[in-house]
Amino acid sequence: MFKRIAGTKDVLPEEVVRWQKIEAIARNIFSLYNYQEIRPPLIEEALLFNRSLGQTSEIVQKQMFLIKREKEVYSLRPEGTASVVRAYIENNLDKTSGFMKLYYIGPMFRAERPQKGRLRQFHHIGCEAIGSSDADLDAEIISLADNLLKGFSVDSYKIKINSLGCPEDKKALTQNLQKSLTGKLARLCADCHTRFKNNPLRILDCKNEKCLEVIRKLEIKDAYLCPECKAHFNKVKEGLDSLKINYEITPHLVRGLDYYNRTVFEVSHPDLGAQDALGAGGRYDSLAKQLGGPDVGAVGFALGIERLFLVSSVKCQVSSKNLVYIISLGEEARRQNLKLLDNLRKNGITSDTDYEGKSLKGAMRKANDLGARYVLIIGEDELKKNVVTLKDMVSGEQKEAKSEDLIKELRC
Ligand SMILES: [Zn+2]
Ligand SMILES: [Zn+2]
């Protein structure tokens, strides 16, 4: 017997209702902010992610699902930003639309060791605003994340923000960090030793308990920010204050991807434990240019749907679908079945019948299990009189209805 791959999930019909609800809330809120949906492919050239996320990033180093075909190497997308920016450039959206607000909902793939809250196929609700470096846009996008979480009935979450500054500031921050970590290297994990050489900022993302102890004690001041970047960050904070958004300035927050600059943010939730990020995002002003496109600022974020489910209290009721269930008894009646169903559906009435050869009693039980609103019985008697027996499953009432009046009867 085949089993699903570890770290993947079957979303069964009863759970799909919840997914649809979350997606509907997201679409509605995105449209309030004038975002439009984009659906890039799930598979891209692997090089796209190496270039955007950074060769030394955790994702590129360990987590990409690579597919080799002859000389090409593809990857299932591990995140959405790189694909959206690639699509923005390739479709000349900078020339036709200029500034664009785009959102996406869909699966991402990372070859992680499966554990609670970490899947190999997981789902993101994300957005990217491409074509502006305005700090007000950062405030707006953080407020959008905040409103999405409120819309999903999540509370007790925390929004942490920081600014990495421009590439020069990032260099200064890296050097500061290297300086303050010298002498403490022996207390860091093996991965962090490599990070110290290749990309010291990533040490701040390490989840190793020993490293965390060292990291927590590090004092990181915002002195690395140049005047422009400091002013930009101040404007973001002012914007958030004016919107009354609760946030915490977290100097240790760097996000482990190369493309981020200036504003970075993360949403955490206490119920998620060590893997406590519900979502994250930030600015990536040089990514489009780096990928061969225009020199435009951009900012975005993504929320993990499976993690949202762990903390969201969104209620969803299965909407009553007013199902009409047909039970036909005998050869002749069965022959009428398909045509009758077709007629009901063409009149906008949800309907189904028994395809398992059940007895009357068994079919009635099935109708009840399906939550049918009406059961329609056709047997030899009914056929002779050109009527159907109509049973109201709510009131329990049963009556005969003329075949030509059936639609009218079912509609009221
Ligand atoms: Zn700067
Ligand atoms: Zn470490």
Side-chain angles (χ1 to χ4, degrees), residues 374-391:
Y374 292 101
V375 169
L376 215 147
I377 302 165
I378 321 168
E380 276 171 32
D381 279 358
E382 282 89 353
L383 280 178
K384 258 180 237 155
K385 295 197 293 193
N386 197 26
V387 295
V388 296
T389 298
L390 193 60
K391 183 171 172 144

Side-chain angles (χ1 to χ4, degrees), residues 165-166 169 226 229:
C166 52
D169 303 347
C226 70
C229 290

